[in-house]
Amino acid sequence: MRVSSERPGSAPLWSGRFSSDPSAILWNYTVEHADRRLLADDVEGSMAHVTMLGEVGLVDDGELAELKDGLETILAESIAGDFSWEDTDEDVHSAVERRLYELIGEAAGKLHTGRSRNDQVALDLCLYLRRSATKRAGELRALAAMLADRADDLADLVVVTYTHLQQAQPVSFGHHLMAYAWMVMRDAARFDDLHRRANVSPLGAGASAGSSLPLRPEATAEHLGFEAVFDNSMDAVGSRDVAAEFAFVSAQAMIHLSRLSEDLILWSSTEFGWVTFSDELTTGSSALPQKKNPDIAELVRGRSAAVAGDVATLLALQKGLPLTYNRDLQEDKRAVFHADDVLEGSIVALGALVATADFHPPPPGPWIGALDLAEILVERGIPFRRAHEAVGALVARLDAADRTLADVTSDELVAAHPQFVADDIDAVDPRQSIAGRQTPGGGSPDSVRAQVGKLREML
Ligand code: ARG
């Protein structure tokens, strides 16, 4: 690759010190393309920077007008998607400066006054993280709202919970969906939290230690709507904890979606028979004509693995780095973008799958009233451990005789513990069981409706 230093902006930003052009080996290995999606952020940051340069007198009015004009043009090109990238652009920052030279000539040389790509890229990343955090939080809240709507509609449907994937207790089906809605709400709140930490401007930190020029970092921060300015320039250019946090928050959200996916996949099996997905959102088998596969849910589950990997990437990227900026940090963006893209797409696809699913879970199995029976004895003063033993022994006897709690007789019940009376048999009815359940946040239809109401209020 040849880069001419006669054409300003087409040579590397740092060519002055070098007697030869960079080799193709160097160039191909080190050039960054992933950061192209930061083009508009980069221009927005530059706009704030030149405005501040004008305010402190480092560029005159004429230069400021030219710089702003050029940057406006680049922003328009970015929005229209017709910004043209050159092989000689080392990264997005170099590309903007090169294009600015093409548009306004020598005045472009003032753009980088008092700035380094180190604080510039940290700024671009903060702008990106801040925006994405807001978007993902909103999308997650919309997903939670949809889950709550479905839970509300299905509140009176009685199903079973599982622990250890064994039937445990009867609940409203809405309770299952609300469990996921609350997870998703916390994921949204985690994006709000990290937004505060991304909302600190690193611009003005320079290469590592600020500048001798009369810059006003608080002014650029204000132009860009940041809540605060960096306290330490070395920290500002060398830290990526917020990027790692973004990946973690995205990964945790993906893991929740993955668990929901796993339940949906199980529920859609013939053995469970809890749900049927719409034809448009399932795939077929090339070999087995009867198949209808829940590929969206499987891919959410599968892709969550690589997002968890992004967290590992961003932590490992930081662990051995000396202060301050090191080129290693260029790799941060790919992990952030990957995590962000996967989460964004997964919310859309899984949301559609759940919104259109036909839920038809069967009633709970015949052992489901065992705890309710034991709790009747507890209410009559029997220690829980004794009550558990008595009901457990009854279960064992019935099981050995190939029978279940569904066909236990009143006599057998009274024989199981002297404190039982004949009517207690009603407690094995799951409807009865969940209707009587008063624990706040428990699985009754009333509890589900209360949860739905609370979640809607939070939104
Ligand atoms: N492309 C670089 C990155 O993404 C920008 C900062 C480069 N700084 C430097 N001194 N080479 O991290």
Side-chain angles (χ1 to χ4, degrees), residues 14 30-32 35 38 90-94 116-122 207 240 325-333:
W14 34 263
T30 60
V31 157
E32 177 61 309
D35 64 1
L38 294 174
E90 191 182 14
D91 53 23
V92 63
H93 325 293
S94 314
S116 155
R117 281 182 296 167
N118 299 352
D119 58 346
Q120 192 178 352
V121 74
R240 290 298 184 273
Y325 177 84
N326 297 270
R327 189 69 180 268
D328 313 44
L329 294 178
Q330 179 165 285
E331 301 302 301
D332 59 357
K333 288 168 281 301

PDB file of all heavy atoms in Angstrom, residues 14 30-32 35 38 90-94 116-122 207 240 325-333, ligand 1:
ATOM      1  N   TRP A  14       0.102  10.291  11.439  1.00  0.00           N
ATOM      2  CA  TRP A  14       1.388  10.384  12.137  1.00  0.00           C
ATOM      3  C   TRP A  14       2.586  10.304  11.196  1.00  0.00           C
ATOM      4  O   TRP A  14       3.701  10.051  11.624  1.00  0.00           O
ATOM      5  CB  TRP A  14       1.471   9.268  13.178  1.00  0.00           C
ATOM      6  CG  TRP A  14       0.773   7.975  12.743  1.00  0.00           C
ATOM      7  CD1 TRP A  14      -0.488   7.600  13.077  1.00  0.00           C
ATOM      8  CD2 TRP A  14       1.279   6.938  11.881  1.00  0.00           C
ATOM      9  NE1 TRP A  14      -0.808   6.392  12.496  1.00  0.00           N
ATOM     10  CE2 TRP A  14       0.259   5.956  11.764  1.00  0.00           C
ATOM     11  CE3 TRP A  14       2.493   6.728  11.206  1.00  0.00           C
ATOM     12  CZ2 TRP A  14       0.415   4.799  10.997  1.00  0.00           C
ATOM     13  CZ3 TRP A  14       2.647   5.573  10.444  1.00  0.00           C
ATOM     14  CH2 TRP A  14       1.607   4.634  10.349  1.00  0.00           C
ATOM     15  N   THR A  30      -3.288  -3.740  11.177  1.00  0.00           N
ATOM     16  CA  THR A  30      -3.642  -2.796  12.245  1.00  0.00           C
ATOM     17  C   THR A  30      -4.843  -1.905  11.937  1.00  0.00           C
ATOM     18  O   THR A  30      -5.433  -1.340  12.862  1.00  0.00           O
ATOM     19  CB  THR A  30      -2.447  -1.871  12.578  1.00  0.00           C
ATOM     20  OG1 THR A  30      -2.101  -1.132  11.396  1.00  0.00           O
ATOM     21  CG2 THR A  30      -1.257  -2.669  13.064  1.00  0.00           C
ATOM     22  N   VAL A  31      -5.176  -1.788  10.655  1.00  0.00           N
ATOM     23  CA  VAL A  31      -6.287  -0.903  10.290  1.00  0.00           C
ATOM     24  C   VAL A  31      -7.602  -1.418  10.883  1.00  0.00           C
ATOM     25  O   VAL A  31      -7.831  -2.620  10.957  1.00  0.00           O
ATOM     26  CB  VAL A  31      -6.380  -0.812   8.742  1.00  0.00           C
ATOM     27  CG1 VAL A  31      -7.768  -0.415   8.294  1.00  0.00           C
ATOM     28  CG2 VAL A  31      -5.367   0.205   8.243  1.00  0.00           C
ATOM     29  N   GLU A  32      -8.423  -0.479  11.336  1.00  0.00           N
ATOM     30  CA  GLU A  32      -9.704  -0.848  11.943  1.00  0.00           C
ATOM     31  C   GLU A  32     -10.871  -0.445  11.044  1.00  0.00           C
ATOM     32  O   GLU A  32     -10.937   0.690  10.577  1.00  0.00           O
ATOM     33  CB  GLU A  32      -9.828  -0.144  13.310  1.00  0.00           C
ATOM     34  CG  GLU A  32     -11.132  -0.365  14.039  1.00  0.00           C
ATOM     35  CD  GLU A  32     -11.422  -1.824  14.380  1.00  0.00           C
ATOM     36  OE1 GLU A  32     -11.343  -2.668  13.464  1.00  0.00           O
ATOM     37  OE2 GLU A  32     -11.744  -2.105  15.547  1.00  0.00           O
ATOM     38  N   ASP A  35     -14.928   0.170  13.512  1.00  0.00           N
ATOM     39  CA  ASP A  35     -15.343   1.439  14.122  1.00  0.00           C
ATOM     40  C   ASP A  35     -16.108   2.340  13.160  1.00  0.00           C
ATOM     41  O   ASP A  35     -16.514   3.438  13.525  1.00  0.00           O
ATOM     42  CB  ASP A  35     -14.120   2.170  14.698  1.00  0.00           C
ATOM     43  CG  ASP A  35     -13.114   2.585  13.638  1.00  0.00           C
ATOM     44  OD1 ASP A  35     -13.358   2.327  12.429  1.00  0.00           O
ATOM     45  OD2 ASP A  35     -12.073   3.169  13.997  1.00  0.00           O
ATOM     46  N   LEU A  38     -19.143   4.097  14.127  1.00  0.00           N
ATOM     47  CA  LEU A  38     -19.064   5.245  15.040  1.00  0.00           C
ATOM     48  C   LEU A  38     -18.940   6.567  14.275  1.00  0.00           C
ATOM     49  O   LEU A  38     -18.693   7.613  14.877  1.00  0.00           O
ATOM     50  CB  LEU A  38     -17.865   5.093  15.980  1.00  0.00           C
ATOM     51  CG  LEU A  38     -17.924   3.933  16.983  1.00  0.00           C
ATOM     52  CD1 LEU A  38     -16.613   3.812  17.743  1.00  0.00           C
ATOM     53  CD2 LEU A  38     -19.092   4.119  17.950  1.00  0.00           C
ATOM     54  N   GLU A  90      -6.926   4.935   8.361  1.00  0.00           N
ATOM     55  CA  GLU A  90      -6.457   3.988   9.382  1.00  0.00           C
ATOM     56  C   GLU A  90      -7.584   3.579  10.334  1.00  0.00           C
ATOM     57  O   GLU A  90      -7.609   2.455  10.841  1.00  0.00           O
ATOM     58  CB  GLU A  90      -5.306   4.614  10.181  1.00  0.00           C
ATOM     59  CG  GLU A  90      -4.600   3.621  11.077  1.00  0.00           C
ATOM     60  CD  GLU A  90      -3.486   4.248  11.897  1.00  0.00           C
ATOM     61  OE1 GLU A  90      -3.422   5.493  11.983  1.00  0.00           O
ATOM     62  OE2 GLU A  90      -2.673   3.486  12.455  1.00  0.00           O
ATOM     63  N   ASP A  91      -8.472   4.513  10.561  1.00  0.00           N
ATOM     64  CA  ASP A  91      -9.634   4.229  11.402  1.00  0.00           C
ATOM     65  C   ASP A  91     -10.671   5.314  11.134  1.00  0.00           C
ATOM     66  O   ASP A  91     -10.465   6.182  10.285  1.00  0.00           O
ATOM     67  CB  ASP A  91      -9.249   4.132  12.895  1.00  0.00           C
ATOM     68  CG  ASP A  91      -8.468   5.341  13.389  1.00  0.00           C
ATOM     69  OD1 ASP A  91      -8.583   6.423  12.760  1.00  0.00           O
ATOM     70  OD2 ASP A  91      -7.748   5.222  14.400  1.00  0.00           O
ATOM     71  N   VAL A  92     -11.757   5.302  11.866  1.00  0.00           N
ATOM     72  CA  VAL A  92     -12.830   6.261  11.598  1.00  0.00           C
ATOM     73  C   VAL A  92     -12.361   7.694  11.805  1.00  0.00           C
ATOM     74  O   VAL A  92     -12.737   8.606  11.057  1.00  0.00           O
ATOM     75  CB  VAL A  92     -14.084   5.943  12.456  1.00  0.00           C
ATOM     76  CG1 VAL A  92     -13.810   6.075  13.951  1.00  0.00           C
ATOM     77  CG2 VAL A  92     -15.260   6.823  12.075  1.00  0.00           C
ATOM     78  N   HIS A  93     -11.509   7.909  12.794  1.00  0.00           N
ATOM     79  CA  HIS A  93     -11.040   9.273  13.094  1.00  0.00           C
ATOM     80  C   HIS A  93     -10.203   9.813  11.936  1.00  0.00           C
ATOM     81  O   HIS A  93     -10.335  10.979  11.543  1.00  0.00           O
ATOM     82  CB  HIS A  93     -10.227   9.294  14.389  1.00  0.00           C
ATOM     83  CG  HIS A  93     -10.718   8.325  15.412  1.00  0.00           C
ATOM     84  ND1 HIS A  93     -11.937   8.458  16.022  1.00  0.00           N
ATOM     85  CD2 HIS A  93     -10.169   7.174  15.906  1.00  0.00           C
ATOM     86  CE1 HIS A  93     -12.117   7.441  16.857  1.00  0.00           C
ATOM     87  NE2 HIS A  93     -11.063   6.644  16.789  1.00  0.00           N
ATOM     88  N   SER A  94      -9.351   8.949  11.398  1.00  0.00           N
ATOM     89  CA  SER A  94      -8.503   9.339  10.254  1.00  0.00           C
ATOM     90  C   SER A  94      -9.370   9.611   9.037  1.00  0.00           C
ATOM     91  O   SER A  94      -9.085  10.521   8.247  1.00  0.00           O
ATOM     92  CB  SER A  94      -7.515   8.227   9.911  1.00  0.00           C
ATOM     93  OG  SER A  94      -6.910   7.733  11.073  1.00  0.00           O
ATOM     94  N   SER A 116      -6.473  13.987  20.988  1.00  0.00           N
ATOM     95  CA  SER A 116      -5.769  12.779  20.561  1.00  0.00           C
ATOM     96  C   SER A 116      -6.842  11.774  20.160  1.00  0.00           C
ATOM     97  O   SER A 116      -7.995  11.884  20.594  1.00  0.00           O
ATOM     98  CB  SER A 116      -4.960  12.237  21.742  1.00  0.00           C
ATOM     99  OG  SER A 116      -4.733  10.855  21.603  1.00  0.00           O
ATOM    100  N   ARG A 117      -6.449  10.809  19.351  1.00  0.00           N
ATOM    101  CA  ARG A 117      -7.443   9.774  19.062  1.00  0.00           C
ATOM    102  C   ARG A 117      -7.775   8.973  20.318  1.00  0.00           C
ATOM    103  O   ARG A 117      -8.783   8.283  20.366  1.00  0.00           O
ATOM    104  CB  ARG A 117      -6.944   8.849  17.954  1.00  0.00           C
ATOM    105  CG  ARG A 117      -7.107   9.449  16.575  1.00  0.00           C
ATOM    106  CD  ARG A 117      -6.637   8.486  15.518  1.00  0.00           C
ATOM    107  NE  ARG A 117      -5.210   8.223  15.629  1.00  0.00           N
ATOM    108  CZ  ARG A 117      -4.567   7.249  15.000  1.00  0.00           C
ATOM    109  NH1 ARG A 117      -5.245   6.430  14.221  1.00  0.00           N
ATOM    110  NH2 ARG A 117      -3.272   7.090  15.134  1.00  0.00           N
ATOM    111  N   ASN A 118      -6.884   9.087  21.320  1.00  0.00           N
ATOM    112  CA  ASN A 118      -7.145   8.320  22.549  1.00  0.00           C
ATOM    113  C   ASN A 118      -8.371   8.837  23.295  1.00  0.00           C
ATOM    114  O   ASN A 118      -9.220   8.055  23.734  1.00  0.00           O
ATOM    115  CB  ASN A 118      -5.909   8.333  23.459  1.00  0.00           C
ATOM    116  CG  ASN A 118      -4.707   7.700  22.777  1.00  0.00           C
ATOM    117  OD1 ASN A 118      -4.847   7.133  21.696  1.00  0.00           O
ATOM    118  ND2 ASN A 118      -3.541   7.801  23.392  1.00  0.00           N
ATOM    119  N   ASP A 119      -8.446  10.170  23.456  1.00  0.00           N
ATOM    120  CA  ASP A 119      -9.671  10.668  24.116  1.00  0.00           C
ATOM    121  C   ASP A 119     -10.839  10.671  23.130  1.00  0.00           C
ATOM    122  O   ASP A 119     -12.002  10.514  23.507  1.00  0.00           O
ATOM    123  CB  ASP A 119      -9.483  12.036  24.796  1.00  0.00           C
ATOM    124  CG  ASP A 119      -9.020  13.155  23.889  1.00  0.00           C
ATOM    125  OD1 ASP A 119      -8.567  12.868  22.761  1.00  0.00           O
ATOM    126  OD2 ASP A 119      -9.092  14.334  24.307  1.00  0.00           O
ATOM    127  N   GLN A 120     -10.514  10.789  21.836  1.00  0.00           N
ATOM    128  CA  GLN A 120     -11.573  10.811  20.817  1.00  0.00           C
ATOM    129  C   GLN A 120     -12.304   9.470  20.757  1.00  0.00           C
ATOM    130  O   GLN A 120     -13.539   9.420  20.718  1.00  0.00           O
ATOM    131  CB  GLN A 120     -10.932  11.122  19.463  1.00  0.00           C
ATOM    132  CG  GLN A 120     -11.910  11.462  18.372  1.00  0.00           C
ATOM    133  CD  GLN A 120     -11.196  11.807  17.070  1.00  0.00           C
ATOM    134  OE1 GLN A 120      -9.951  11.924  17.037  1.00  0.00           O
ATOM    135  NE2 GLN A 120     -11.946  11.975  16.008  1.00  0.00           N
ATOM    136  N   VAL A 121     -11.548   8.378  20.753  1.00  0.00           N
ATOM    137  CA  VAL A 121     -12.214   7.069  20.643  1.00  0.00           C
ATOM    138  C   VAL A 121     -12.945   6.734  21.944  1.00  0.00           C
ATOM    139  O   VAL A 121     -14.021   6.129  21.928  1.00  0.00           O
ATOM    140  CB  VAL A 121     -11.210   5.954  20.231  1.00  0.00           C
ATOM    141  CG1 VAL A 121     -10.280   5.558  21.370  1.00  0.00           C
ATOM    142  CG2 VAL A 121     -11.979   4.733  19.729  1.00  0.00           C
ATOM    143  N   ALA A 122     -12.370   7.179  23.075  1.00  0.00           N
ATOM    144  CA  ALA A 122     -13.065   6.959  24.353  1.00  0.00           C
ATOM    145  C   ALA A 122     -14.397   7.717  24.341  1.00  0.00           C
ATOM    146  O   ALA A 122     -15.426   7.211  24.813  1.00  0.00           O
ATOM    147  CB  ALA A 122     -12.187   7.416  25.518  1.00  0.00           C
ATOM    148  N   ALA A 207      -3.896  12.781  24.818  1.00  0.00           N
ATOM    149  CA  ALA A 207      -3.280  11.476  24.623  1.00  0.00           C
ATOM    150  C   ALA A 207      -3.239  10.709  25.933  1.00  0.00           C
ATOM    151  O   ALA A 207      -3.437   9.500  25.970  1.00  0.00           O
ATOM    152  CB  ALA A 207      -1.884  11.634  24.054  1.00  0.00           C
ATOM    153  N   ARG A 240     -11.751   0.827  30.327  1.00  0.00           N
ATOM    154  CA  ARG A 240     -12.843   0.285  29.518  1.00  0.00           C
ATOM    155  C   ARG A 240     -13.832  -0.496  30.377  1.00  0.00           C
ATOM    156  O   ARG A 240     -14.546  -1.379  29.893  1.00  0.00           O
ATOM    157  CB  ARG A 240     -12.286  -0.641  28.412  1.00  0.00           C
ATOM    158  CG  ARG A 240     -11.527   0.084  27.315  1.00  0.00           C
ATOM    159  CD  ARG A 240     -12.384   1.072  26.532  1.00  0.00           C
ATOM    160  NE  ARG A 240     -11.657   1.691  25.436  1.00  0.00           N
ATOM    161  CZ  ARG A 240     -10.910   2.797  25.524  1.00  0.00           C
ATOM    162  NH1 ARG A 240     -10.785   3.422  26.686  1.00  0.00           N
ATOM    163  NH2 ARG A 240     -10.280   3.291  24.480  1.00  0.00           N
ATOM    164  N   TYR A 325      -3.601   4.417  27.439  1.00  0.00           N
ATOM    165  CA  TYR A 325      -4.121   3.826  26.206  1.00  0.00           C
ATOM    166  C   TYR A 325      -3.101   2.847  25.619  1.00  0.00           C
ATOM    167  O   TYR A 325      -1.908   3.137  25.559  1.00  0.00           O
ATOM    168  CB  TYR A 325      -4.461   4.899  25.158  1.00  0.00           C
ATOM    169  CG  TYR A 325      -4.934   4.268  23.863  1.00  0.00           C
ATOM    170  CD1 TYR A 325      -6.260   3.884  23.706  1.00  0.00           C
ATOM    171  CD2 TYR A 325      -4.036   3.986  22.832  1.00  0.00           C
ATOM    172  CE1 TYR A 325      -6.688   3.246  22.559  1.00  0.00           C
ATOM    173  CE2 TYR A 325      -4.459   3.351  21.667  1.00  0.00           C
ATOM    174  CZ  TYR A 325      -5.788   2.982  21.543  1.00  0.00           C
ATOM    175  OH  TYR A 325      -6.211   2.347  20.408  1.00  0.00           O
ATOM    176  N   ASN A 326      -3.567   1.714  25.204  1.00  0.00           N
ATOM    177  CA  ASN A 326      -2.762   0.747  24.451  1.00  0.00           C
ATOM    178  C   ASN A 326      -3.609   0.304  23.273  1.00  0.00           C
ATOM    179  O   ASN A 326      -4.836   0.234  23.368  1.00  0.00           O
ATOM    180  CB  ASN A 326      -2.423  -0.471  25.316  1.00  0.00           C
ATOM    181  CG  ASN A 326      -1.569  -0.086  26.524  1.00  0.00           C
ATOM    182  OD1 ASN A 326      -0.349  -0.090  26.452  1.00  0.00           O
ATOM    183  ND2 ASN A 326      -2.214   0.252  27.620  1.00  0.00           N
ATOM    184  N   ARG A 327      -2.949  -0.029  22.178  1.00  0.00           N
ATOM    185  CA  ARG A 327      -3.694  -0.337  20.944  1.00  0.00           C
ATOM    186  C   ARG A 327      -4.605  -1.548  21.125  1.00  0.00           C
ATOM    187  O   ARG A 327      -5.591  -1.712  20.393  1.00  0.00           O
ATOM    188  CB  ARG A 327      -2.716  -0.550  19.777  1.00  0.00           C
ATOM    189  CG  ARG A 327      -3.382  -0.650  18.403  1.00  0.00           C
ATOM    190  CD  ARG A 327      -3.991   0.671  17.927  1.00  0.00           C
ATOM    191  NE  ARG A 327      -4.613   0.568  16.620  1.00  0.00           N
ATOM    192  CZ  ARG A 327      -4.030   0.812  15.456  1.00  0.00           C
ATOM    193  NH1 ARG A 327      -2.766   1.225  15.423  1.00  0.00           N
ATOM    194  NH2 ARG A 327      -4.684   0.683  14.324  1.00  0.00           N
ATOM    195  N   ASP A 328      -4.271  -2.383  22.111  1.00  0.00           N
ATOM    196  CA  ASP A 328      -5.163  -3.510  22.423  1.00  0.00           C
ATOM    197  C   ASP A 328      -6.614  -3.041  22.506  1.00  0.00           C
ATOM    198  O   ASP A 328      -7.550  -3.770  22.144  1.00  0.00           O
ATOM    199  CB  ASP A 328      -4.847  -4.131  23.797  1.00  0.00           C
ATOM    200  CG  ASP A 328      -3.373  -4.391  24.043  1.00  0.00           C
ATOM    201  OD1 ASP A 328      -2.550  -3.506  23.724  1.00  0.00           O
ATOM    202  OD2 ASP A 328      -3.072  -5.474  24.579  1.00  0.00           O
ATOM    203  N   LEU A 329      -6.779  -1.832  23.042  1.00  0.00           N
ATOM    204  CA  LEU A 329      -8.134  -1.343  23.328  1.00  0.00           C
ATOM    205  C   LEU A 329      -8.975  -1.154  22.071  1.00  0.00           C
ATOM    206  O   LEU A 329     -10.195  -1.032  22.145  1.00  0.00           O
ATOM    207  CB  LEU A 329      -8.073  -0.047  24.144  1.00  0.00           C
ATOM    208  CG  LEU A 329      -7.507  -0.218  25.560  1.00  0.00           C
ATOM    209  CD1 LEU A 329      -7.445   1.117  26.293  1.00  0.00           C
ATOM    210  CD2 LEU A 329      -8.341  -1.216  26.364  1.00  0.00           C
ATOM    211  N   GLN A 330      -8.312  -1.133  20.920  1.00  0.00           N
ATOM    212  CA  GLN A 330      -9.070  -1.051  19.666  1.00  0.00           C
ATOM    213  C   GLN A 330     -10.048  -2.230  19.543  1.00  0.00           C
ATOM    214  O   GLN A 330     -11.078  -2.125  18.878  1.00  0.00           O
ATOM    215  CB  GLN A 330      -8.089  -1.039  18.484  1.00  0.00           C
ATOM    216  CG  GLN A 330      -8.745  -0.992  17.124  1.00  0.00           C
ATOM    217  CD  GLN A 330      -7.762  -0.628  16.025  1.00  0.00           C
ATOM    218  OE1 GLN A 330      -7.383   0.514  15.894  1.00  0.00           O
ATOM    219  NE2 GLN A 330      -7.316  -1.617  15.273  1.00  0.00           N
ATOM    220  N   GLU A 331      -9.696  -3.344  20.191  1.00  0.00           N
ATOM    221  CA  GLU A 331     -10.525  -4.568  20.087  1.00  0.00           C
ATOM    222  C   GLU A 331     -11.813  -4.488  20.907  1.00  0.00           C
ATOM    223  O   GLU A 331     -12.659  -5.373  20.808  1.00  0.00           O
ATOM    224  CB  GLU A 331      -9.706  -5.781  20.542  1.00  0.00           C
ATOM    225  CG  GLU A 331      -8.427  -6.003  19.740  1.00  0.00           C
ATOM    226  CD  GLU A 331      -8.698  -6.194  18.260  1.00  0.00           C
ATOM    227  OE1 GLU A 331      -9.427  -7.124  17.893  1.00  0.00           O
ATOM    228  OE2 GLU A 331      -8.169  -5.396  17.462  1.00  0.00           O
ATOM    229  N   ASP A 332     -11.935  -3.444  21.739  1.00  0.00           N
ATOM    230  CA  ASP A 332     -13.119  -3.345  22.602  1.00  0.00           C
ATOM    231  C   ASP A 332     -14.414  -3.231  21.801  1.00  0.00           C
ATOM    232  O   ASP A 332     -15.444  -3.799  22.160  1.00  0.00           O
ATOM    233  CB  ASP A 332     -12.991  -2.153  23.570  1.00  0.00           C
ATOM    234  CG  ASP A 332     -12.821  -0.806  22.851  1.00  0.00           C
ATOM    235  OD1 ASP A 332     -12.748  -0.782  21.600  1.00  0.00           O
ATOM    236  OD2 ASP A 332     -12.747   0.229  23.542  1.00  0.00           O
ATOM    237  N   LYS A 333     -14.333  -2.494  20.692  1.00  0.00           N
ATOM    238  CA  LYS A 333     -15.565  -2.156  19.968  1.00  0.00           C
ATOM    239  C   LYS A 333     -16.262  -3.376  19.382  1.00  0.00           C
ATOM    240  O   LYS A 333     -17.490  -3.473  19.422  1.00  0.00           O
ATOM    241  CB  LYS A 333     -15.247  -1.125  18.878  1.00  0.00           C
ATOM    242  CG  LYS A 333     -14.953   0.261  19.465  1.00  0.00           C
ATOM    243  CD  LYS A 333     -14.363   1.224  18.468  1.00  0.00           C
ATOM    244  CE  LYS A 333     -12.890   1.007  18.232  1.00  0.00           C
ATOM    245  NZ  LYS A 333     -12.050   1.130  19.465  1.00  0.00           N
TER     246      LYS A 333
HETATM  247  N1  ARG B   1      -8.426   3.058  16.299  1.00  0.00           N
HETATM  248  C1  ARG B   1      -8.052   3.289  17.656  1.00  0.00           C
HETATM  249  C2  ARG B   1      -8.936   2.531  18.627  1.00  0.00           C
HETATM  250  O1  ARG B   1      -9.992   2.133  18.198  1.00  0.00           O
HETATM  251  C3  ARG B   1      -8.143   4.740  17.958  1.00  0.00           C
HETATM  252  C4  ARG B   1      -7.145   5.232  18.931  1.00  0.00           C
HETATM  253  C5  ARG B   1      -5.801   5.074  18.350  1.00  0.00           C
HETATM  254  N2  ARG B   1      -4.815   5.759  19.094  1.00  0.00           N
HETATM  255  C6  ARG B   1      -3.553   5.653  18.779  1.00  0.00           C
HETATM  256  N3  ARG B   1      -2.717   6.321  19.463  1.00  0.00           N
HETATM  257  N4  ARG B   1      -3.145   4.836  17.843  1.00  0.00           N
HETATM  258  O2  ARG B   1      -8.648   2.332  19.769  1.00  0.00           O
END
